[in-house]
Amino acid sequence: MNYNVILVDADDSTLNHTVNIFKRFPNFTLVSSYREVKSAIGQSSVFDPNLFLIDIENTDNRNMLPAFADIFPQAIVIGIMSKWDADITFESIRGGAIGCILKPFSGEDLTDAIKLFSRGVRNTIPSSCSFFSAKGRSGKTTLIANLALSIVQQTGDLVAIIDADLQFSDMAIFFDVEPVTTIVEATRDVKFLSPLRLNPYFLPVADNIQLLCGPRRLEYSELVDVESLTAVVRMAQTLFHYVLIDLPSGLSPFSTSMCEVADTVFICGMLNTNFEVKHIKRTLPLFEKLERDGKKLNIVFSRADDKQKLEIEKQLGHKVAAVLPNEFLMVSAANSGNIKNIMNQKNLLAEKINKLAEGIINHAD
């Protein structure tokens, strides 16, 4: 595809650099450039532009992004910045940019960015969910894998799974893949990355689903720190439409930080005995504070039915988002790496997971 490009940047060196790289990429034509965003809004239409490169470090430029989307609805807007900033990127995406790249960029960077940021439907503001359990064997990993598949089936959008259950990560087994790069390498390198450079650390595991695998060995979990993983998650939130984060069991500064960075928190439990309800009740005050701060809170119990749901809600003093039946076929498929093939089958578990996915999708709209 050929692009008529408008550049909005007050930095002359960016203009000179763009002119030079476009000489080697004939599918990009710099039809005009502006130092001020208001001039670009008023004068660009005569050039029939379909790609805007806008300096989003400038506050006025970011504030005008919705106007570009209204006036040029068919055009692509990509933000450019000299240093990666997650907050500025989020604001720009909410304003109508499809993504952001760093200056100085190459023609290859721009080509890759258009391809990368244009994947999927891109009809939602990015949304993320963290999945917490008080103890192990809660069914959260099975839930995450199926939610990812359901979201893709319902929206066609991009979903990333981050396997941050560092010591006992098994999401790669669920999808029957062998890790190439993992969360260890991503957190190690994150200070030198942008979304464009982070993407290869994720492994495609199904249509429109990519996985950042957990550590290959138990001792490698100690190499992942909270600050670096938070940076990876925030970068992934600007790269994918939905980010699902599998957390280690139990309360810790690590798990609470990952819940704070998400839009929705799932508390997962498996109803084997009454102790699971008591364990979750003990953690609720912390998560209810997050709920008051604007996070959406979903409590999910597996191996339970609707009658038990009422009793659980009574004990917790909090609404339960869903109870999931024990579908042997689904669990067997997950354990054998065939989860992608079984999700299409009709059963009560799939119906309930689809409904949970609808809630995530509607919350993002």
Side-chain angles (χ1 to χ4, degrees), residues 22-42:
F22 282 3
K23 289 178 180 178
R24 296 183 290 109
F25 288 84
N27 57 316
F28 293 106
T29 302
L30 185 63
V31 293
S32 188
S33 66
Y34 300 93
R35 301 178 67 87
E36 296 181 354
V37 68
K38 290 183 180 179
S39 299
I41 285 287

Side-chain angles (χ1 to χ4, degrees), residues 310-328:
L310 296 175
E311 180 59 30
I312 293 169
E313 290 179 333
K314 182 179 178 181
Q315 292 182 55
L316 292 178
H318 195 285
K319 180 179 174 59
V320 172
V323 290
L324 306 177
N326 185 29
E327 288 282 356
F328 176 77

Side-chain angles (χ1 to χ4, degrees), residues 66-80:
F68 280 95
D70 289 340
I71 298 171
F72 305 97
Q74 303 305 317
I76 294 172
V77 177
I78 294 178
I80 55 177

Side-chain angles (χ1 to χ4, degrees), residues 137 139 142 270-272 301-305 308 323-332 335 347-350 352:
R137 293 189 58 80
T142 304
M270 184 177 289
L271 196 63
N272 292 317
F301 273 90
S302 56
R303 294 190 180 177
D305 58 33
Q308 291 170 311
V323 290
L324 306 177
N326 185 29
E327 288 282 356
F328 176 77
L329 187 61
M330 186 79 77
V331 174
S332 176
N335 292 337
N347 55 59
L348 183 57
L349 178 58
K352 286 181 174 280

Side-chain angles (χ1 to χ4, degrees), residues 245-257:
I245 310 163
D246 192 2
L247 299 178
S249 301
L251 283 175
S252 68
F254 184 93
S255 59
T256 53
S257 294

